[in-house]
Amino acid sequence: MKEQSKLIRSQAKRSFNREHSVPLYLTSSFIFDDAEQGRAIFADEEEGNIYSRYSNPNTTEFITKVCELEGAEDGLAFSSGMAAVFASFAGLLRSGDHIIACRSVFGSTHQLLTQLFPRWGITSTYVDASKPDEWEAAIRPETKMIFLETPSNPGLELVDLEWLGGFKKKYPHIILNVDNCFATPYLQKPIQYGIDLVSHSATKYMDGQGRVLGGVVVGRKELIKELMFFIRHTGPAMSAFNAWIFSKSLETLPLRMDRHCSNALKVAEVLEQHPEVETARYPFLPSHPQYELAKKQMKQGGGIVTFVIKGGFERAKRFLDALKMILITSNLGDSRSIATHPASTTHSKLSEQEREQLGIRSGSIRISVGLEDIVDILEDINQALIHSK
Ligand SMILES: *Cc1c(COP(=O)(O)O)cnc(C)c1O
């Protein structure tokens, strides 16, 4: 079956009730037919659910769909994107290990790497996404993992996944871990380039409607097995309810992403030409410095557009206040378009120089382009550009 059909047809096994749509399995534990079956399932001799902290039919269905999309061998579902990212480090690394990460990681991932992991003796080095030479120079004997996001948030810089996959030949012991949240597995499939683990905040495009939190990690079977031990005994499991929501939402992921991307490209094209805009950035704009790479590794450019408004910090805030339909909130990947001003919110704790390193200027604005009619999205952005002068 083709990808879109598999997303719809991969379902938990039908029960004796002959339901058409998969029900919600709200149960903490699962019964054994007899004591012997309990023994066999605990001993891994027989497959079966034991307890919803380990597995549940709804989370299994969700994981199956993500594995099919990413081309992964196996996976695990988590209560949030950060629980997934955290586990992908903590479940595999130990004291003394070293991580190389691209500088432009998600805010909470930055706190993990710089504040929490050093407490447990796990250190990290940041490298610039756009400077491949720095990556190899940062490798030490104790380097166990390379972690990155592409496209980055909110700078929309890319890392060449094929080039990164090439590291595997020279450094087979280093785990390559990619947060694929911004692109989604519909647009970009890191595993095909030899990446070992792919993590996601499912909260974003996988839900796509800003309702529930969740995360997922998929990848090589032996790594997922090691992570399974970690989540069985630390408990960051996804709830059955959230898995049920995500699994239903994945049925429409390709349809939604097509529209997010076509709307975002139009927004980027209009912004780039607008007299009140200094620059606009979007992976599928020919002016993007990595346009060729974007076309090589992404099916389309994604749903996020970043632009720099003329007039800096205060003008950017006036622009947000002038928007009528588009709301100011820190989520992304929602059916509703969202605007954020990184310099005054998500990246306000950084110095101006640190922000510059991430491609964030005081007038940078990130738009998560939603699924409204493109006419209304453009009209709102246009009127806010004029009224914020
Ligand atoms: C939102 C996000 C996360 C964290 O996910 P939560 O579901 O909010 O915990 C991690 N990485 C990226 C790139 C994100 O956008």
Side-chain angles (χ1 to χ4, degrees), residues 12-223:
K13 199 164 175 287
R14 196 166 292 131
S15 81
F16 61 87
N17 284 318
R18 296 176 287 102
E19 69 275 358
H20 190 208
S21 173
V22 175
L24 234 180
Y25 286 90
L26 288 183
T27 175
S28 329
S29 67
F30 300 84
I31 54 165
F32 307 120
D33 291 340
D34 50 34
E36 171 50 25
Q37 188 186 39
R39 187 207 61 78
I41 291 179
F42 262 90
D44 272 340
E45 290 167 20
E46 191 180 319
E47 269 195 26
N49 295 303
I50 296 175
Y51 192 62
S52 285
R53 169 150 43 82
Y54 309 169
S55 65
N56 170 288
N58 294 123
T59 53
T60 303
E61 181 185 286
F62 165 64
I63 292 163
T64 303
K65 289 184 181 183
V66 178
C67 285
E68 279 168 352
L69 266 179
E70 290 280 12
E73 291 172 358
D74 207 353
L76 292 164
F78 295 84
S79 56
S80 70
M82 278 326 297
V85 171
F86 173 70
S88 77
F89 295 125
L92 298 170
L93 302 178
R94 56 198 66 221
S95 179
D97 287 350
H98 174 249
I99 303 166
I100 296 172
C102 68
R103 196 180 303 282
S104 47
V105 292
F106 185 70
S108 292
T109 307
H110 169 70
Q111 300 299 343
L112 273 185
L113 293 173
T114 57
Q115 302 296 321
L116 291 168
F117 282 130
R119 286 193 202 168
W120 302 306
I122 297 170
T123 57
S124 57
T125 304
Y126 278 140
V127 287
D128 270 356
S130 56
K131 294 181 188 148
D133 301 347
E134 284 190 11
W135 294 64
E136 201 151 359
I139 293 179
R140 302 183 199 160
E142 62 274 24
T143 303
K144 291 285 159 58
M145 187 176 279
I146 295 179
F147 177 85
L148 63 101
E149 296 170 21
T150 178
S152 69
N153 173 31
L156 301 177
E157 279 188 348
L158 311 184
V159 178
D160 187 334
L161 291 170
E162 189 177 8
W163 165 81
L164 184 75
F167 270 67
K168 220 48 215 175
K169 289 192 194 84
K170 243 167 132 178
Y171 308 98
H173 63 287
I174 298 182
I175 298 166
L176 305 177
N177 186 355
V178 171
D179 180 336
N180 200 26
C181 168
F182 261 49
T184 79
Y186 172 61
L187 301 180
Q188 173 173 284
K189 301 183 194 302
I191 288 173
Q192 83 185 46
Y193 301 105
I195 304 307
D196 301 299
L197 283 180
V198 174
S199 53
H200 282 279
S201 167
T203 315
K204 312 295 167 52
Y205 291 106
M206 289 197 184
D207 173 13
Q209 290 157 77
R211 299 165 296 184
V212 294
L213 295 180
V216 60
V217 177
V218 300
R220 288 217 327 266
K221 216 176 178 69
E222 67 271 22
L223 295 174

